[in-house]
Amino acid sequence: MASTTRDLTQGPIGKTLLVFSLPILAGNVLQSLNGSINAIWVGHYLGEAAITATANANNLLFALIGLMFGIGMAATILVAQAMGARNLPQAKRVIGTSATLFGAASIGISVLGWQFSGHILALLGTPPEAQPLAVAYLRVIFLAIPLLYLFTFVSAVMRGAGDTRTPFYFLLLVVLLDTALNPLFIFGWGPVPAMGIAGSSMATLVAHSIGFAALLAWLRWRAHPLWIGSAELHLFVPDGRILRALIVKGLPMGAQMVLISMSMLMLMGMVNSHGVQLSSAYGASLQLWTYVQMPAMAIGAACSSMAAQNVGAGLWKRVDATARAGVLCNVLMTGTLIALAVAADRQVLSLFLPDGSAALETARHLNHIAIGSFLFFGVTFVISGVVRSTGAVVAPLVILALALWGVRVPFAQWLQPILGVDAIWWSFPVSAACAMLLSLGYYRWGGWRKARMLTPAADPLATPAEVGGLPPSPVCSQSDDRLATAR
């Protein structure tokens, strides 16, 4: 393994983007396979109530960590801008401050989640037969949150610095451990007791504990450029200017995750009201959709890091070229996967349901309606990633809010008397198309190029805004010579 950073400000756009994104895509495949294998164990051997429990619990988990995820995204952009500006000390300052904030937030979410998971699942309307299973599963997951998301955070900032290979190798270790430990903890063997559905989340806890410890040890041993050594521990004391950027920029990005998850929770509540059969069909479809959206998420994440490095270097033509290449890749790759998923959905969906389940045909029906939305999602994900690379975070949040809460949720709820339960499935492509059109419009005519991630050092109270009149170069370090030259 080579723990090297990658300069994304040079080389051909398309090839550089593809090579940089492949480890991210491979990592997404690993995570999805891991989740799917776990879902097969749970669905096939523990029943429809168990798969419904994991679907409800995972949606809740996604909602609770959304704001913290935004902080990680803000840190990734700041690190990428600093690396593009050839400012390694600034990148380390960002990592130290964000690691402290990220760790404290994840511990708080873990404690609160353990305490109130049962109450929230009840408010969600989790079917009574699935609720005890969901609580047992979710409480162990909450214990794993600090390790799980610190692992994700370290991987994300390494990606911002252009290193996607190292996180992939250690993610592979985590997935192999999780996959191997799932049946052991679910069914028990020798001195290991059978834990049922809680065993699936216990495997996640143990695997991430080992993986995160191994990642830190390896980075220290290889002296990775981003490693903060014993002589630099002061960097973990939060820098006020960076902390402000992480919060001011991270909260809107995290709020996007919350908006997505809360809308999914609303839809899950609508689905739950129709019983376990429809809930299990929806849960199985969610597993399939995870694979369909993988290229969009991989290319989008690569575009965000690549664009941020070029923003830091002041290379705006490469930023626009990155957006175009990302959209084209997503259309081709996601479109191909949608066609394959529709053609083979009977075989794939049956993997996540008990043999002979009546929910299979229901899952196929809703999949045929909703799966096309991921083509629009891919375009939106790339455009939003490029826009956010400058620090423009409010407009993507507003666009997402309009698409989800102005279109998707009302469409699914208000049109059920007319379309029946199909209104829920049709709400996906309708809202996704609206988000794509709004995102493209903002990219073309919005003022995202004038945004900043950090306020100028000389004026710490200045507004880090997406407003006119500011130089079109987000600031990593006002004293950095390369930024001054790029202007």
Side-chain angles (χ1 to χ4, degrees), residues 130-445:
Q131 186 165 347
L133 296 172
V135 171
Y137 174 85
L138 192 59
R139 281 186 167 172
V140 180
I141 283 292
F142 274 119
L143 292 178
I145 277 186
L147 290 167
L148 196 158
Y149 289 103
L150 282 171
F151 180 91
T152 303
F153 162 73
V154 173
S155 300
V157 295
M158 291 173 67
R159 184 176 67 234
D163 183 1
T164 55
R165 289 179 292 174
T166 301
F168 167 74
Y169 291 130
F170 284 92
L171 179 61
L172 176 61
L173 172 64
V174 169
V175 169
L176 291 176
L177 287 171
D178 198 352
T179 302
L181 292 174
N182 246 272
L184 174 64
F185 289 137
I186 290 175
F187 305 110
W189 184 72
V192 179
M195 300 178 64
I197 193 172
S200 180
S201 46
M202 180 58 71
T204 299
L205 170 60
V206 173
H208 278 85
S209 298
I210 296 173
F212 183 58
L215 173 59
L216 293 182
W218 194 84
L219 291 175
R220 182 177 185 272
W221 176 58
R222 292 299 298 267
H224 192 280
L226 298 180
W227 176 255
I228 297 177
S230 58
E232 301 171 303
L233 293 180
H234 64 279
L235 294 176
F236 288 108
V237 177
D239 179 298
R241 188 161 161 261
I242 295 173
L243 187 63
R244 185 177 188 274
L246 291 172
I247 295 174
V248 171
K249 299 298 185 178
L251 288 181
M253 288 190 281
Q256 293 184 52
M257 299 294 103
V258 174
L259 286 177
I260 293 172
S261 58
M262 293 304 294
S263 69
M264 294 300 290
L265 291 175
M266 284 289 292
L267 295 183
M268 181 64 77
M270 296 180 197
V271 172
N272 285 339
S273 67
H274 294 276
V276 170
Q277 179 177 317
L278 191 65
S279 297
S280 60
Y282 183 51
S285 297
L286 288 175
Q287 290 292 328
L288 174 59
W289 296 346
T290 298
Y291 289 95
V292 174
Q293 68 184 355
M294 281 192 303
M297 299 190 72
I299 298 295
C303 283
S304 183
S305 295
M306 188 168 180
Q309 282 203 16
N310 284 283
V311 166
L315 302 176
W316 290 95
K317 289 185 178 181
R318 286 183 65 88
V319 174
D320 290 329
T322 298
R324 290 192 298 270
V327 168
L328 178 60
C329 287
N330 268 303
V331 169
L332 294 175
M333 297 174 70
T334 303
T336 300
L337 277 182
I338 288 174
L340 293 174
V342 171
D345 64 347
R346 182 188 298 275
Q347 293 79 10
V348 176
L349 291 169
S350 64
L351 294 174
F352 309 113
L353 295 165
D355 293 333
S357 173
L360 177 59
E361 290 305 315
T362 303
R364 295 186 66 225
H365 171 72
L366 70 90
N367 177 61
H368 291 167
I369 295 174
I371 197 170
S373 64
F374 293 102
L375 190 63
F376 309 134
F377 162 80
V379 176
T380 303
F381 201 81
V382 168
I383 295 300
S384 296
V386 172
V387 164
R388 285 194 300 263
S389 70
T390 66
V393 296
V394 175
L397 175 62
V398 172
I399 290 171
L400 188 66
L402 290 173
L404 294 181
W405 292 94
V407 178
R408 178 174 294 182
V409 172
F411 189 103
Q413 187 169 20
W414 296 345
L415 291 185
Q416 281 194 60
I418 300 173
L419 300 177
V421 73
D422 280 357
I424 300 176
W425 323 134
W426 279 111
S427 71
F428 282 85
V430 171
S431 61
C434 291
M436 179 186 71
L437 293 175
L438 290 172
S439 296
L440 289 171
Y442 180 69
Y443 181 87
R444 175 63 178 82
W445 293 290

Side-chain angles (χ1 to χ4, degrees), residues 18-63:
L18 182 61
V19 171
F20 182 65
S21 66
L22 284 179
I24 303 175
L25 178 58
N28 288 346
V29 172
L30 283 177
Q31 289 180 309
S32 298
L33 283 174
N34 182 44
S36 296
I37 292 171
N38 295 350
I40 291 172
W41 283 113
V42 171
H44 263 286
Y45 295 99
L46 300 181
E48 291 180 350
I51 195 65
T52 300
T54 57
N56 278 267
N58 287 333
N59 275 327
L60 174 59
L61 180 65
F62 188 69

